[in-house]
Amino acid sequence: MASNAAVPFWRTAGMTYITYSNICANLVRNCLKEPYKTEALSREKVHFSISKWTNGKPEKPTIRSDSSEE
Amino acid sequence: MAMAALRREGRRFAPLISPRPITAVRSPPLAPSHEDEGPIGVRYVSTQVVRNRMKSVKSIQKITKAMKMVAASKLRAIQTKAENSRGLWQPFTALLGDLPSVDVKKNVVVTISSDKGLCGGINSTSVKISKGLHKLNSGPEKETKYVILGEKAKAQLVRDSKKDIELIITELQKNPLSYTQVSVLADDILKNVEYDALRIVFNKFHSVVSFVPTVSTVLSPEIVEREAESGGKLGDLDSYEIEGGETKGEILQNLAEFQFSCVMFNAVLENACSEQGARMSAMDSSSRNAGDMLDRLTLTYNRTRQASITTELIEIISGASALEG
């Protein structure tokens, strides 16, 4: 089954489905009215520290700390 | 009188001077530190030492009790989240099945563990299972890589599996766990790692006392196609109608990514629950042990105290009888 069908725009832009759905979710959150909006946005903060290892050697860990996906 | 003077001189002189083999030290019944050698030559431990020990054991007991309460409250908070998240991956398993026995070239083992310690043996069991999976899936042309979440698994796996580590992720629980956090994490993993099958190792939370280590398998879309040909659950995929102008391959790609994200979310939550539950039971048994230790120390203390009182009485009486006779 050759996929000749047009790949959705976000896939060609390099995003995965997860990134796409996170952006959509953030758009929906931004549609909320005021008290709920700040609550929802503060609930969805992201923080972790990721370090890639090559050949048994760690590289410098980068901290992914965005308030939420942009 | 002479005896009193000798007594005050201190224990070091007494054995040399006094004809009796008693270390004579003046002491009130509630003793400050002294070392007693009883009339038979039995040595008792100092009561001050015992008292210090009792104080520290008691404070440890208070701390572990408090930790247990904290863990119980955290558990209550996460538990509802974890149970609600189970509904996310169940449709995926119903659709795509969970095939731990799938035979692929590139395996990636995602080990989920905690950042903090004092939580019993759950991290060790996760690491043991991950190493077991690694061994199971090794062979010609097959490779297994680790993605590690959490400090505790990192410490154990860095020791002997350095070359197989792909990614290490820590500080996950700084903010309360949410789907956004885990999905960003899953996204990072997917971008950095090539895989045919992802095996996620975590501790599933069955109840406060039972945490079962489990493995969830997520296959890449190519492998799903391959397995679909051999029939079974995946073979029925073709019977589904596809709307929206996307191809089957495209949909499988989206589904695989979303499945990974959902399974990761559930796994991280369940592991967090298991961690709190294990910490509760570990702190509970440690409080109980501290209580037992305290009982034994109290007995020793009382024994020592009574022995020193007896010794003193003996001295006084023998001193008095020496004066008379």
Side-chain angles (χ1 to χ4, degrees), chain A residues 11 16-17 44 47 49 51, chain B residues 168 170-171 180 187 254 257:
Chain A
R11 183 71 69 177
T16 59
Y17 180 75
E44 305 291 332
H47 176 99
S49 152
S51 150
Chain B
I168 294 194
T170 50
E171 294 184 33
T180 318
D187 197 30
N254 292 345
E257 291 170 1

Side-chain angles (χ1 to χ4, degrees), chain B residues 202-255:
Chain B
F202 63 101
N203 292 86
K204 200 175 168 86
F205 180 79
H206 283 280
S207 80
V208 182
V209 295
S210 113
F211 335 103
V212 181
T214 23
V215 181
S216 291
T217 318
V218 173
L219 305 172
S220 76
E222 297 87 22
I223 302 292
V224 170
E225 300 263 17
R226 192 190 82 184
E227 294 292 323
E229 282 152 32
S230 40
K233 214 175 218 171
L234 289 174
D236 292 333
L237 275 182
D238 277 329
S239 58
Y240 287 93
E241 253 184 55
I242 302 182
E243 296 185 9
E246 296 189 331
T247 60
K248 179 178 173 200
E250 175 59 39
I251 290 201
L252 273 181
Q253 172 89 333
N254 292 345
L255 278 181

Side-chain angles (χ1 to χ4, degrees), chain A residues 46-62:
Chain A
V46 171
H47 176 99
F48 57 91
S49 152
I50 182 166
S51 150
K52 193 159 165 50
W53 279 48
T54 40
N55 288 328
K57 290 244 159 37
E59 302 174 5
K60 196 156 185 329
T62 53

Side-chain angles (χ1 to χ4, degrees), chain B residues 67-171:
Chain B
M67 282 183 75
K68 175 182 169 192
M69 297 285 121
V70 167
S73 68
K74 284 195 179 161
L75 176 67
R76 239 173 301 137
I78 302 192
Q79 196 171 345
T80 32
K81 269 196 199 168
E83 285 173 8
N84 292 337
S85 79
R86 285 187 191 155
L88 269 180
W89 57 262
Q90 277 159 356
F92 277 109
T93 318
L95 176 68
L96 296 172
D98 191 344
L99 301 167
S101 56
V102 70
D103 191 24
V104 290
K105 291 220 188 66
K106 295 210 192 108
N107 283 294
V108 175
V109 174
V110 182
T111 313
I112 305 191
S113 69
S114 58
D115 277 344
K116 304 210 178 109
L118 291 184
C119 48
I122 54 171
N123 293 321
S124 312
T125 43
S126 287
V127 169
K128 213 172 27 172
I129 301 238
S130 310
K131 289 191 185 163
L133 277 179
H134 181 102
K135 236 193 200 163
L136 201 63
N137 285 313
S138 58
E141 290 193 10
K142 289 205 266 185
E143 56 162 297
T144 315
K145 292 262 171 203
Y146 290 111
V147 170
I148 303 178
L149 266 80
E151 291 279 343
K152 294 290 152 188
K154 167 183 169 188
Q156 293 189 29
L157 282 173
V158 152
R159 245 186 282 144
D160 47 5
S161 311
K162 262 187 152 166
K163 335 182 270 11
D164 291 322
I165 298 181
E166 192 70 40
L167 281 176
I168 294 194
I169 296 143
T170 50
E171 294 184 33

